[in-house]
Amino acid sequence: DAGITQSPRHKVTETGTPVTLRCHQTENHRYMYWYRQDPGHGLRLIHYSYGVKDTDKGEVSDGYSVSRSKTEDFLLTLESATSSQTSVYFCAISDPGTSGMKQYFGPGTRLTVL
Amino acid sequence: EDQVTQSPEALRLQEGESSSLNCSYTVSGLRGLFWYRQDPGKGPEFLFTLYSAGEEKEKERLKATLTKKESFLHITAPKPEDSATYLCAVQAKGGSEKLVFGKGTKLTVNP
């Protein structure tokens, strides 16, 4: 299994509070991604990073920000959580140089916003 | 806009009853098509990458095939442990490493 951990694994929070999810990898892969998975929508890309301090938006980036200060860590922040952000969040990694285009996924974080 | 459509949404089979899952795609130049398996409460697990029409890949009871418009995941003599959601994704040419996923097919294999 690819060395990807996500924390926390479960979180319940209230509307309007800030939330930060962490993805940590031990594979030294260049690319890191944040997805959300919802019934009826499948996996949708929120943001991704192609290097330290290099990030770009995905298809559902509104309300989310990211940061990557080290190769191994990619943080997803919900500045002011809303109920529509209740979802399961997955981190993924890839590196064209070592593993081709395939992405490896972490175990997920289940976030509930009340 | 790149799109992936998977069918059926759900499929229920008896053990040993072979079938196929479909993934139709539209993409501005295909760089790769990916199949993943996802078990409940877990992250997707990589199965196959297909790069060009006519290509086939096999792993145990699974075989993935690719045409210019769709991919099939054939499951031969499935077992209950093959029960999972199968996801299809495409990556377009153009330098981006992003994947576009379909909504998945939930497969249940009854003993």
Side-chain angles (χ1 to χ4, degrees):
Chain A
D1 290 342
I4 310 170
T5 56
Q6 294 185 230
S7 59
R9 294 293 315 280
H10 302 271
K11 186 169 182 68
V12 180
T13 191
E14 294 189 351
T15 297
T17 60
V19 176
T20 296
L21 308 183
R22 180 184 184 234
C23 177
H24 178 79
Q25 60 144 330
T26 58
E27 305 296 324
N28 200 37
H29 279 20
R30 179 183 171 194
Y31 287 81
M32 298 185 76
Y33 311 81
W34 277 109
Y35 291 88
R36 61 178 290 174
Q37 188 173 40
D38 305 287
H41 288 279
L43 279 162
R44 293 180 291 173
L45 182 66
I46 304 171
H47 282 281
Y48 69 103
S49 169
Y50 46 95
V52 173
K53 298 188 178 178
D54 292 323
T55 64
D56 204 352
K57 296 179 180 180
E59 64 173 300
V60 290
S61 59
D62 288 348
Y64 301 94
S65 63
V66 291
S67 65
R68 190 170 179 200
S69 58
K70 298 184 289 184
T71 298
E72 57 266 36
D73 290 326
F74 193 31
L75 304 181
L76 178 70
T77 297
L78 292 65
E79 300 291 346
S80 178
T82 68
S83 59
S84 65
Q85 294 176 312
T86 292
S87 186
V88 180
Y89 291 86
F90 288 100
C91 173
I93 64 174
S94 72
D95 194 303
T98 57
S99 61
M101 298 177 285
K102 54 182 168 285
Q103 296 182 10
Y104 298 99
F105 284 80
T109 294
R110 181 172 295 276
L111 176 67
T112 302
V113 183
L114 301 176
Chain B
E1 182 180 336
D2 303 332
Q3 287 189 330
V4 177
T5 303
Q6 292 188 245
S7 61
E9 290 185 13
L11 181 63
R12 192 175 292 270
L13 300 174
Q14 289 299 123
E15 184 172 2
E17 180 187 1
S18 301
S19 188
S20 297
L21 313 182
N22 178 262
C23 171
S24 298
Y25 64 92
T26 55
V27 65
S28 53
L30 181 69
R31 191 173 172 206
L33 184 141
F34 303 81
W35 282 99
Y36 285 83
R37 169 192 170 124
Q38 186 174 24
D39 293 302
K42 296 191 175 182
E45 175 187 347
F46 172 79
L47 292 174
F48 304 109
T49 307
L50 300 167
Y51 297 98
S52 58
E55 188 175 2
E56 298 182 354
K57 294 259 179 93
E58 286 190 65
K59 180 180 180 180
E60 296 181 355
R61 295 175 293 282
L62 300 177
K63 183 169 81 172
T65 62
L66 181 64
T67 73
K68 289 187 177 180
K69 293 184 178 181
E70 57 191 350
S71 176
F72 292 93
L73 185 65
H74 306 277
I75 304 175
T76 302
K79 298 182 178 182
E81 53 262 41
D82 294 322
S83 297
T85 296
Y86 291 86
L87 304 174
C88 174
V90 296
Q91 189 173 73
K93 291 181 179 178
S96 170
E97 298 296 317
K98 294 185 286 186
L99 295 181
V100 175
F101 280 85
K103 296 179 182 179
T105 293
K106 183 177 181 180
L107 174 67
T108 304
V109 182
N110 296 314

